[in-house]
Amino acid sequence: MKSNRRNFIKQTGLLASAGLITNPFAAFSTSLKTYTVGEIIDLFVAQVPNSPFAQTVDTLKSGNKNQVVTGIVTTMFATITVIRKAIELNANFIIAHEPTFYNHLDETTWLDNDPIYEFKRKLLDEHGIAVWRNHDYVHSLEIDGVQAGVVRELDWEAFYKQDAVLNLPETTLGDLISHVKSKMNLPALRYVGDLSQKASKILLLPGAIGGRRQIELLMKEKPDVLICGESPEWETPEYVRNANEMGEKLGLIVIGHSASEEGGSGFMAEWIRKNTLGVPVSHIPSGNSLLVK
């Protein structure tokens, strides 16, 4: 029976990707099991070491734990575009990695009467959509779920030893940039270094762990190239530029925060498929807010 269910889900995904099912959730008219928002949250949190955390930003930003889930969307940011797509899919649960209301703690009192905040809040409330931020917990898995998802997205699983350092076949900084752009479907990346420099040892730090921490890991690991989500220009980019100015061969690739961690939301969608059989789930990338021209 389990194999039949897996085949059904797999076939549905293939049909959806081929455009034969415009709404992938429509194939699940009768769910194998119903879950509430709280049950899915608790199921994921239970696998995280030392959970639940006494203090965390991973809270519900809208909706309530008791509502029955009709479908799930995973994404980096619960943008208005993502919310509208969730509505089209009849998905009432969005699992986002980053804040919904423009600050780390999702505090909203300072946004009272702001038309942009009010529009977004009303859209969520009118359609009964729960938004849960999954940031601290997914990063705290025994194997960081975001990093694992990004490694899979970059097709580097064969070189992944479950830490931030990957030893790839020798390439160049320029070819490495082309690979990341292709795999992540990005129009452009920011970088520091000589495009022809040889590169093999890679330090992969998605997101924004802070310039000082990035530099400390550069000092410790001595990679050929650091790939990160973002960093203030006066911190890591300036450090890497100075290294090149004194004759060191060190590269830096800055992907952008959202794209650098989107693979983690893909990881979350796969986790839901494996652990909540019958719950329709779709990963919808939110894309970078800053565009390139």
Side-chain angles (χ1 to χ4, degrees):
M1 177 64 73
K2 288 185 178 180
S3 64
N4 289 338
R5 291 175 178 175
R6 290 193 188 98
N7 289 336
F8 176 67
I9 293 170
K10 182 178 180 180
Q11 290 167 3
T12 301
L14 291 173
L15 289 170
S17 64
L20 299 178
I21 298 179
T22 56
N23 181 351
F25 295 161
F28 295 88
S29 58
T30 303
S31 178
L32 299 174
K33 181 186 184 313
T34 59
Y35 290 85
T36 65
V37 166
E39 285 174 334
I40 290 177
I41 292 174
D42 292 344
L43 191 63
F44 185 83
V45 169
Q47 69 173 335
V48 179
N50 304 312
S51 65
F53 302 154
Q55 293 185 328
T56 178
V57 295
D58 292 4
T59 58
L60 275 177
K61 313 306 177 182
S62 67
N64 67 81
K65 286 189 172 185
N66 295 322
Q67 66 189 73
V68 175
V69 174
T70 60
I72 299 175
V73 164
T74 67
T75 190
M76 269 290 289
F77 289 91
T79 66
I80 289 173
T81 299
V82 169
I83 294 167
R84 285 171 170 161
K85 288 181 178 178
I87 294 168
E88 291 174 7
L89 293 169
N90 191 35
N92 67 346
F93 187 18
I94 296 174
I95 300 177
H97 185 64
E98 296 297 3
T100 299
F101 297 117
Y102 325 118
N103 65 101
H104 186 56
L105 298 179
D106 278 301
E107 296 172 333
T108 59
T109 53
W110 63 288
L111 291 167
D112 283 350
N113 300 317
D114 174 76
I116 297 171
Y117 161 72
E118 295 290 348
F119 181 92
K120 191 173 190 179
R121 169 64 72 186
K122 184 178 180 181
L123 187 64
L124 290 167
D125 291 346
E126 284 187 347
H127 293 274
I129 296 176
V131 176
W132 177 53
R133 184 179 182 189
N134 183 12
H135 179 275
D136 298 348
Y137 286 116
V138 71
H139 275 304
S140 298
L141 292 168
E142 290 185 7
I143 301 174
D144 185 320
V146 172
Q147 191 173 64
V150 173
V151 167
R152 182 185 305 164
E153 185 179 16
L154 291 171
D155 198 22
W156 287 345
E157 290 175 288
F159 314 106
Y160 185 47
K161 305 301 181 185
Q162 300 177 9
D163 60 29
V165 176
L166 295 91
N167 291 293
L168 306 180
E170 188 175 280
T171 183
T172 65
L173 176 59
D175 287 343
L176 198 58
I177 289 172
S178 296
H179 177 84
V180 174
K181 287 171 61 178
S182 174
K183 291 295 183 179
M184 292 187 164
N185 193 29
L186 299 171
L189 295 174
R190 305 181 78 184
Y191 76 95
V192 179
D194 178 356
L195 291 175
S196 65
Q197 80 161 73
K198 300 298 183 184
S200 176
K201 186 177 182 180
I202 309 302
L203 181 61
L204 180 63
L205 303 175
I209 67 171
R212 178 166 178 167
R213 183 59 179 150
Q214 289 170 344
I215 293 170
E216 287 173 342
L217 287 170
L218 284 172
M219 294 163 60
K220 176 185 176 183
E221 301 294 349
K222 301 188 183 309
D224 300 317
V225 176
L226 163 63
I227 300 176
C228 70
E230 60 177 317
S231 177
E233 292 184 12
W234 66 90
E235 296 180 347
T236 307
E238 193 62 22
Y239 177 86
V240 175
R241 176 161 71 169
N242 287 175
N244 280 270
E245 288 173 331
M246 62 180 279
E248 296 289 329
K249 293 294 184 182
L250 178 60
L252 171 67
I253 298 174
V254 181
I255 297 173
H257 194 119
S258 184
S260 80
E261 291 193 298
E262 191 68 70
S265 295
F267 167 91
M268 189 64 199
E270 287 301 315
W271 185 92
I272 292 169
R273 291 187 184 104
K274 292 176 182 177
N275 292 275
T276 59
L277 200 61
V279 176
V281 58
S282 181
H283 170 222
I284 300 177
S286 55
N288 278 329
S289 53
L290 299 172
L291 305 179
V292 177
K293 183 176 181 181

